[in-house]
Every structure is written in structure tokens, then in C-alpha cells.
Amino acid sequence: MTGIQRCVATAAVAVALIGTPTVAHALSQGGTAPVGVESVAWKAPSPRIVSPGEHVEVSGGAEFWLTEEGKHWTTPENPDPQFRSVVDGNIDRSRPGVSLQTEGVGSHYLLSGVYYGGKGTASRVVVRTTAGVVHGELLELPGEPGWGVWYATVDLPDGDTDGLGVSRVVVRDTEGKVYSRLNLG
């Protein structure tokens, strides 16, 4: 075997032993994968970008829409539009933060809020509740508004009369770092 052949053979064995994540890392660094090896690169989710006033229907029939002024929503139980402003001075968008609104919608709870002021791109929201950990969705207007809306629904077991408790809401960025957080106890 020539020196080059030995080097190629050693590299092939190393790739086989170390695994595909290394190949995915090499690809992300501008390298190429050996023939027959597929990359498994993970891409962090991003918020759904919506046009101002575009209605987004969520589980249970609730709807959200965003305007430059803030978050709007309705539920089947409360069809009159509700509103949470991002421009009235109630939130300091220069510092990371996240709000929480909860309301019963049929046999589940609708959890939602506004997130703002974090660094990077918001990617995902995780809510710790008395019913368990819930993963929500993110909405933002185009451009760089500096804020967005999160929402999630939680189905409650039949006969649950204690309501739902929320202890934490964490919005993370595309690198997994905390974008904003709300601790409730």
C-alpha cells in the first residue's frame, strides 16, 4: 500500500468507528462526505414568519395574529379579540423577557405569551406545567421586530378540577442558549 492509500484507508476506518455525526460536522465545516455516507445535520427550528394581520389557527380553534402593535387572539369561548401590546411601555424590549397568559379552551388550556429582547434568533419554547413539559410554537413578523409570540395547548386528563399550574417558560435560541425566561416558582 502506498502512503496515500494507507491514509485513505485509515480515514475510512476512523469515519466508520466514529460515526456519522463527525461526517455531518465535517460537512458543516466545508468538507465532503466519503462515498456512501449520508450526513445527519440537525437544523434548529425558527419561528414561523407571518404577515401582519395573518391569522394562525391553533389546536382547539383559537386564533392568533400579530400586528406592529402586538399580539391579538380569540378563542371559541371568547370570540371577542384580546390584545397584548408590545408598544405601550408595559414591557422593556431592550431586556430579555417573556409573558404568560392562560385560559381554558374546551378540554384543554391555551398557554401563550410575548417573548422579547433576547439575543440571536428564537428557536423553541418549553413550558413546565403541572401536567408535564409542553413544547410550544413561535410566531414572528418579518424582519427583526425584536419580539414574537409563543403558544402551546395542554390537554388535561378527564376529571381534572385542580386547574393547570405553570412554573417556567423558557424560550431558547437556535444554539440552545436561553433567549428569554419566566420563572413562576
Side-chain angles (χ1 to χ4, degrees):
M1 245 191 217
T2 67
I4 292 176
Q5 289 173 327
R6 248 183 272 133
C7 185
V8 170
T10 303
V13 170
V15 167
L17 292 174
I18 296 172
T20 303
T22 300
V23 174
H25 176 73
L27 290 174
S28 71
Q29 302 301 315
T32 59
V35 175
V37 177
E38 296 179 29
S39 73
V40 184
W42 180 79
K43 183 175 187 259
S46 295
R48 177 176 170 184
I49 305 301
V50 295
S51 299
E54 177 183 343
H55 286 240
V56 175
E57 188 171 332
V58 302
S59 176
E63 287 188 17
F64 290 98
W65 63 99
L66 285 61
T67 64
E68 290 181 13
E69 291 78 32
K71 166 191 160 188
H72 304 259
W73 75 100
T74 61
T75 65
E77 285 80 2
N78 193 356
D80 292 330
Q82 300 175 65
F83 176 67
R84 176 74 165 112
S85 177
V86 297
V87 296
D88 66 1
N90 282 333
I91 61 173
D92 179 0
R93 291 179 18 200
S94 69
R95 297 178 15 184
V98 60
S99 67
L100 168 68
Q101 289 87 44
T102 64
E103 57 187 296
V105 178
S107 64
H108 62 272
Y109 275 91
L110 175 65
L111 310 174
S112 66
V114 175
Y115 60 90
Y116 49 90
K119 294 187 180 191
T121 300
S123 176
R124 59 191 173 274
V125 61
V126 178
V127 185
R128 185 172 305 277
T129 74
T130 52
V133 174
V134 179
H135 299 270
E137 302 291 329
L138 304 174
L139 302 172
E140 284 186 11
L141 293 171
E144 295 183 23
W147 65 277
V149 168
W150 70 271
Y151 66 88
T153 57
V154 180
D155 292 327
L156 296 178
D158 291 339
D160 185 342
T161 58
D162 294 335
L164 179 74
V166 176
S167 61
R168 179 179 298 147
V169 178
V170 178
V171 178
R172 295 198 176 272
D173 67 14
T174 55
E175 295 178 1
K177 296 177 184 170
V178 173
Y179 179 94
S180 58
R181 171 190 326 240
L182 175 64
N183 290 317
L184 299 166

